[in-house]
Amino acid sequence: MTQRILILGGGFAGLFAARELRRKLPKAEIELINAENYFVFQPLLPEVAAGAITAPHAVTPLRFLLKGVKVRKARIHDVDVSRKVVTIFQGVQRRPTEVGYDQLVVALGQETDLSRMPGLADHALTMKTLEDARRLRAHVIERLEHADITRLPEVKKEALTFCVIGAGFSGVETVGEMKELIDRSLKYYPNVSRGEVSVKVVEFAPRVLGELPESLGRYAAKQLEKRGIEILLGVGVKSATGTRLILSDGTEIPTRTIVATIGNAPSKVVQAMPLAHAHGRIKVDRMLRCEGQTDVWSLGDCAMIPMKEGASARTDFAPPTAQFAVREARQLAENIAASLSGKALKPFNYKSQGALASLGARRGVAEVWGMKLSGFPAWLLWRAYYVAFLPGFGTKVKVLLNWVMDAVSPRSTVQMRSEAPPAARYVHYRAGDRIFEAGTRADGFYTVIEGAVELTYPDTHTGEPVTKRVTPGQHFGERMVLGQERRSGTVHALEDTKVLVLDRDAFLKIADAFPVMRSYFQGYMKQTYDIDWPTPTPTQTQTQAPTTGREG
Amino acid sequence: MTQRILILGGGFAGLFAARELRRKLPKAEIELINAENYFVFQPLLPEVAAGAITAPHAVTPLRFLLKGVKVRKARIHDVDVSRKVVTIFQGVQRRPTEVGYDQLVVALGQETDLSRMPGLADHALTMKTLEDARRLRAHVIERLEHADITRLPEVKKEALTFCVIGAGFSGVETVGEMKELIDRSLKYYPNVSRGEVSVKVVEFAPRVLGELPESLGRYAAKQLEKRGIEILLGVGVKSATGTRLILSDGTEIPTRTIVATIGNAPSKVVQAMPLAHAHGRIKVDRMLRCEGQTDVWSLGDCAMIPMKEGASARTDFAPPTAQFAVREARQLAENIAASLSGKALKPFNYKSQGALASLGARRGVAEVWGMKLSGFPAWLLWRAYYVAFLPGFGTKVKVLLNWVMDAVSPRSTVQMRSEAPPAARYVHYRAGDRIFEAGTRADGFYTVIEGAVELTYPDTHTGEPVTKRVTPGQHFGERMVLGQERRSGTVHALEDTKVLVLDRDAFLKIADAFPVMRSYFQGYMKQTYDIDWPTPTPTQTQTQAPTTGREG
């Protein structure tokens, strides 16, 4: 009977595993499940963020790359190794779907977890997905647009300060490309001078690109500094707000742009799987078979792959790089094939051929077969290597075309996506921060989660200023239910504070639809401000719901 | 003293007005304000939606196109003609900014208003902005992905039925391009056969492309039908749900894709301006000066421009086309210049040179200087005309490159944006629709706005099925606060029903942060299900807010 091989994840590990398995097992039924319908080439994300490559050209549909493999776009819910079934949710579907397998390959990579640093998860951008890259680009351009027209010096300073956390490959390439995007765009922003822009990279280690030899790290640092990028070494991140990055040494950096390239963590789905884990990653033997399992395999960033017997030190395990993932895929396919035909399995073995990093502005560093390269040659090698590595001929061509266009034409400063924040989000403030002031646009309803704020508003009758302390569980900004467009009060944080902000549209819809809220606010308004509840508030997006029987 | 000319809007009218004014008045200070920082070439949107052109290449940054003109990305709040000041909100700023002017040019175009047809505004996609085009493309591909893997025939049918409302230029070009995208993508979806796909266009008028001569309309219709597009004429739209389009003749079309190219309406900001209006548009004289104003002007789709004295019939006014907008811009600049130097103003005069429409798949129709063209020549002319029309050399090149690439390579089926719906949204159901069933993913909290639903769930103790009628103001799906991942009850609509859906994450954040909600649900759970309130519910995005003093 034909074997059903199911692969979870469509990154380097999953994609190449599927391809190798397709070659080695022509009769097997092979299916790959991924959350996106395309393969994203991680190393190119910084260039997408910088607009050197347009997003759609940096990725390839998995269906193009996997002829003869069934591709399913779905979210993985859980794995049942005893029933040999994976439960997923696909499409808009809320109904769970079960997918069976004979052999399971887990290649789900890693996620980002910034929760250890207060505010960072809520205020930092990340660089993991294509959306991340597009968001970062739009965010940087929005800052330039704003800096060009604002009359407020402090707002301009925040807008023009860009911080990247982490100076590994991803951090260095991101900061380098981001600086290039800004430098090449400035000529379109007459009111922004080069000297006003500040781009920083923060690294906990004492040097950049720890993965590369010291001399190359030094070269990279010199190159970045020469281009005006400030490098802060040996310092960590303590916390973040919407306008501040606070470092472990207490430094406060006024900024509206924080890009976190740190915090790689195993995905929750992987951790929840009934498999043996180590540090949240999946324990496999040297044959890439999951510990204690006969038909479950794992590779790539989500797997802990020992490179020798009795591996214990960090360096005894395979590093989470594309280079390794591809070789792991080959060994994995061989071993699955061998196990099916009852042959002996072989341990995974591979020696890194080297490493490369692009610094942007046509500079790079590389160490290949022990040789060190830097500057333009290294940058060229970087591009050549990755284009060669890029799966799919069409994509190769498109990326090359993009590079040519980019070399001969200015960077487009089109700001593609509008920056609509989530309707319910956490926002963090430092003690003393102004949260909003009278006269500004009433854009949200605030509930205090941690800390305390002080609210000052004019008394409804006397107009005299009234001051009020708002603590966890209490709220402010609720006058929107009165249809108020502008703030009548001013609010600032008394302590470091975390609030839940519900945007205007969502808040008005709920207050209007949900009688509990209605009656609560009715009482609250009367008691607090001696104001009577208004006639139902129309929201931007028309709410023509009849009021008849609304209290039902 | 130098004149300050302020232009509101960066479409064809605003962009070309700014350029003409820059030429005619070298000394004046000219500023243009637009919500986006780029100029979007509307006629190309259907091709963006179809993936023939990648979004960033269909647009050009306004700053590229407007050398010597100050460009400001901001939202217009209101206009004060007595103080000669426009109030705006720029960037993330909540503080209002005032911008003064000597001469004001209003070129804000039109918006879409679908509110007359219940459910349409909440369930239809539109084709006005670049985001709309990108969303439509991602939406179509998502449907193909889903159709390829679902095991449920009715789900597949809904996924593979695509409806466009309106068969004017925008509707015809959208349906034609959409069909081409689907046809060219099908080979990557092995489980979807051509015969299962149904693409329809619904038009209230008795024929397509009413703007063109009857014979060309007939030709266009024949071409579309030949390619398998179904054309429904002489029928309007009654209402829509997430899975149905209901026509005026009562027909119910099971579909998850409704694209509305109808419902052009004047923008709310324009209607709120202290200017004379007619049918919501701004009344101007033949010199393009606003009625009763000396220094406020208007052109483009937002203006009612009489083409002769005593204009009254619809045809006596300038049509809302790019072709006219560009000529109006020229006349407007001349007249502003004349008025500043005390010269006589000239009335706007222009005769349409003709009209073109692309039908996709290399077919088009055109009427130029009285000559009728159709088929491939007309399609070529269409492309040539629009590239010539396209402002910005770089953009011309990029669009041409895109067309070349598209001709020689397959359409990419990359689905770029994840389809996250708004956190608080209205959803409409028809009587009898199933809303959700036991076992499905608990993804939202529902409050009934109109209509009534029936909820069936197992009694907490006996497990016996309990049935409950839920009416406006009442809610269901609240067990999520118990941390429940799956539905325990089944819900269907008893009448045509409108509900407010609050997504899981937003609902849990609010229920967790807002004591009123907490205590309400505490009581409700106890009373309704005899269930005790759980320990605070963790949400996907960690909510580690301490409970101490939460009831503050």
Side-chain angles (χ1 to χ4, degrees), chain A residues 37 94 134 413 435 545, chain B residues 37 94 134 413 435 443 449:
Chain A
N37 81 338
R94 289 170 303 186
R134 291 185 38 244
T413 57
I435 297 174
Chain B
N37 81 337
R94 290 169 304 187
R134 289 187 38 244
T413 56
I435 297 174
D443 57 356
I449 304 280

Side-chain angles (χ1 to χ4, degrees), chain A residues 37 63 73 93-95 98 134 142 145 152 413 415 426 435 441 443 446 449 473 515 543 545, chain B residues 37 63 73 94-95 98 134 142 145 151-152 413 415 426 435 441 443 446 449 473 515 543 545:
Chain A
N37 81 338
R63 295 172 182 278
K73 177 175 180 292
Q93 209 79 346
R94 289 170 303 186
R95 203 182 283 100
E98 289 196 338
R134 291 185 38 244
E142 172 76 31
E145 290 288 342
L152 309 163
T413 57
Q415 194 209 359
Y426 296 117
I435 297 174
R441 183 175 56 195
D443 57 355
Y446 294 66
I449 304 281
T543 310
Chain B
N37 81 337
R63 294 172 183 276
K73 178 175 180 291
R94 290 169 304 187
R95 204 183 280 101
E98 291 196 336
R134 289 187 38 244
E142 173 75 31
E145 290 288 342
R151 296 165 188 158
L152 309 164
T413 56
Q415 193 209 358
Y426 295 117
I435 297 174
R441 185 176 53 196
D443 57 356
Y446 294 66
I449 304 280
T543 310

Side-chain angles (χ1 to χ4, degrees), chain A residues 369-410:
Chain A
W369 304 305
M371 287 180 305
K372 294 179 195 165
L373 270 159
S374 64
F376 185 67
W379 177 79
L380 261 192
L381 182 65
W382 184 90
R383 283 199 159 181
Y385 174 71
Y386 279 118
V387 169
F389 215 29
L390 200 55
F393 178 73
T395 310
K396 282 185 167 72
V397 174
K398 282 181 189 148
V399 167
L400 285 170
L401 265 179
N402 270 260
W403 280 339
V404 172
M405 286 297 294
D406 183 53
V408 301
S409 61

